[in-house]
Amino acid sequence: MFSRPPPHSARFRSDHLNEIHAFVAAYDGSHRRAALGRGPLGYSMDAVRCGDVDLGWGLTRTRQKVQGAPQSAILHLPLGRRHVYAVGGRTLEARPDTAILLAPGQEYTLYFEPDDWLVVLRLPGSVLADELVDRDPAAALASRGTREIPLAGSRLSALAALHRTLVDAATPRAENASVPRAEQLQARLCHWMADQVLATRPSSSAPALGIQRIRIVEEWIDAHLADPITLGRLCAVAGVGDRYLESAFRAHRGQTPLQFVMARRLAWVRRNLLESRPGDSVTQLAHDAGFVHLGRFAARYRSAYCESPSATLRHSAMRP
């Protein structure tokens, strides 16, 4: 769904911490990095630039702990695995259906998981800050801060389409080739980011159900994807009523509990299709994720990822 590194991208590869530090510091300031496993670090970064927007694809072969404070507004989205962030006493998670927006100047710690592409979109922090002030001056200050960005449904497809357009616009072309202007694409990305920030800002009317309690429900969902999951069962896990749980999920995740269940089931199937082994089938994986009606599953999968599940399986089988 998201473009992979194009042939013309600038490529950096290293197993040496000092080299990695110097490379990252050159475009985003100083940071600290430590390996949490044995073996070569296998750090790599592919990057292209479209105007003032940097697009990157990060990968590591050894789990790493990264600490820093970005100079720009940076969006992180893993393509397969969960990555954990610690920010000011909070624990955040990036997943294939949830991005992390790192706020300029705010310290963070990232536990960078191995063997998983981390898609990176970097936008000058001042550009996003100005957009937020223009949109809602009163809420702009409260809206600044590192946060999770749920990417259910149209949010995910809109970001993926914009990412592909940015990558395509960064492709070297003949001078007379027709391409979108970099300034227009930067404005579109800034507009999209501002939409997500304002949609996930804290609300004085948001329910007090804590994020840690929400995570308990989410962990229960991930452990029971194959089982029938109803709103009533989730309320029992959370220990609250249905309206309260619905409001809490909308405040913290931007979607209802059952929409979250659907997104997690689709993400589980996609991850297993991308990591498929001989003998795996779309039907079996869909059933294992709790889908009963295969036709509805296929339609929802195509809507979320812009390809059929069988196409994902074919592409996975063709990879070396």
Side-chain angles (χ1 to χ4, degrees):
M1 188 173 190
F2 284 83
S3 296
R4 294 302 177 109
H8 63 277
S9 62
R11 291 183 170 88
F12 172 82
R13 305 282 189 275
S14 181
D15 291 317
H16 304 288
L17 280 175
N18 289 340
E19 292 179 355
I20 298 170
H21 282 140
F23 170 76
V24 174
Y27 64 84
D28 206 41
S30 180
H31 78 296
R32 300 175 297 282
R33 182 180 298 261
L36 300 181
R38 296 181 178 180
L41 293 179
Y43 175 85
S44 68
M45 175 63 74
D46 291 73
V48 297
R49 190 172 179 84
C50 180
D52 290 330
V53 177
D54 291 305
L55 307 168
W57 295 261
L59 187 70
T60 181
R61 296 302 180 188
T62 301
R63 190 170 188 255
Q64 297 178 30
K65 179 180 179 181
V66 182
Q67 296 174 291
Q71 298 175 350
S72 309
I74 302 177
L75 193 77
H76 282 178
L77 179 66
L79 295 187
R81 304 180 67 176
R82 182 185 69 166
H83 297 248
V84 175
Y85 295 70
V87 181
R90 296 178 298 146
T91 300
L92 307 177
E93 294 180 1
R95 302 184 293 261
D97 60 359
T98 305
I100 294 291
L101 179 60
L102 299 174
Q106 187 169 15
E107 288 275 351
Y108 73 94
T109 299
L110 160 64
Y111 294 90
F112 194 170
E113 299 297 335
D115 301 318
D116 182 34
W117 284 109
L118 189 67
V119 172
V120 180
L121 294 94
R122 183 181 293 102
L123 183 72
S126 59
V127 174
L128 180 58
D130 291 344
E131 175 74 12
L132 290 171
V133 170
D134 289 343
R135 295 275 199 98
D136 191 345
L141 184 60
S143 298
R144 296 173 188 173
T146 295
R147 67 193 59 223
E148 295 176 346
I149 303 293
L151 294 176
S154 60
R155 285 182 179 181
L156 182 63
S157 57
L159 178 60
L162 180 54
H163 184 261
R164 291 193 297 269
T165 303
L166 284 161
V167 172
D168 185 57
T171 302
R173 300 172 187 271
E175 290 187 2
N176 62 350
S178 176
V179 296
R181 294 181 59 185
E183 295 87 350
Q184 295 173 334
L185 293 176
Q186 175 178 306
R188 285 174 56 188
L189 177 61
C190 183
H191 185 86
W192 184 91
M193 282 189 175
D195 281 348
Q196 312 319 310
V197 168
L198 293 175
T200 56
R201 62 185 168 179
S203 170
S204 58
S205 61
L209 189 63
I211 189 65
Q212 295 303 325
R213 208 159 171 194
I214 290 287
R215 291 202 190 286
I216 291 174
V217 177
E218 293 175 349
E219 290 172 1
W220 185 91
I221 290 170
D222 284 339
H224 295 82
L225 290 178
D227 302 333
I229 299 178
T230 65
L231 182 59
R233 187 70 184 91
L234 297 180
C235 289
V237 173
V240 297
D242 55 355
R243 290 186 180 180
Y244 199 85
L245 187 65
E246 290 256 5
S247 297
F249 259 83
R250 287 187 184 279
H252 288 298
R253 294 290 180 247
Q255 56 189 159
T256 69
L258 293 183
Q259 285 172 339
F260 179 86
V261 171
M262 178 60 64
R264 297 303 297 144
R265 281 174 165 160
L266 290 171
W268 186 92
V269 174
R270 182 167 179 81
R271 182 170 64 253
N272 281 274
L273 288 173
L274 291 171
E275 300 173 356
S276 63
R277 297 168 296 180
D280 284 346
S281 71
V282 170
T283 299
Q284 186 59 53
L285 290 173
H287 283 154
D288 290 346
F291 289 102
V292 177
H293 303 286
L294 292 180
R296 295 176 190 171
F297 155 71
R300 285 172 174 147
Y301 187 97
R302 182 183 290 276
S303 175
Y305 300 112
C306 299
E307 67 178 5
S308 68
S310 57
T312 304
L313 183 62
R314 277 197 310 274
H315 297 156
S316 175
M318 293 169 60
R319 290 182 188 138

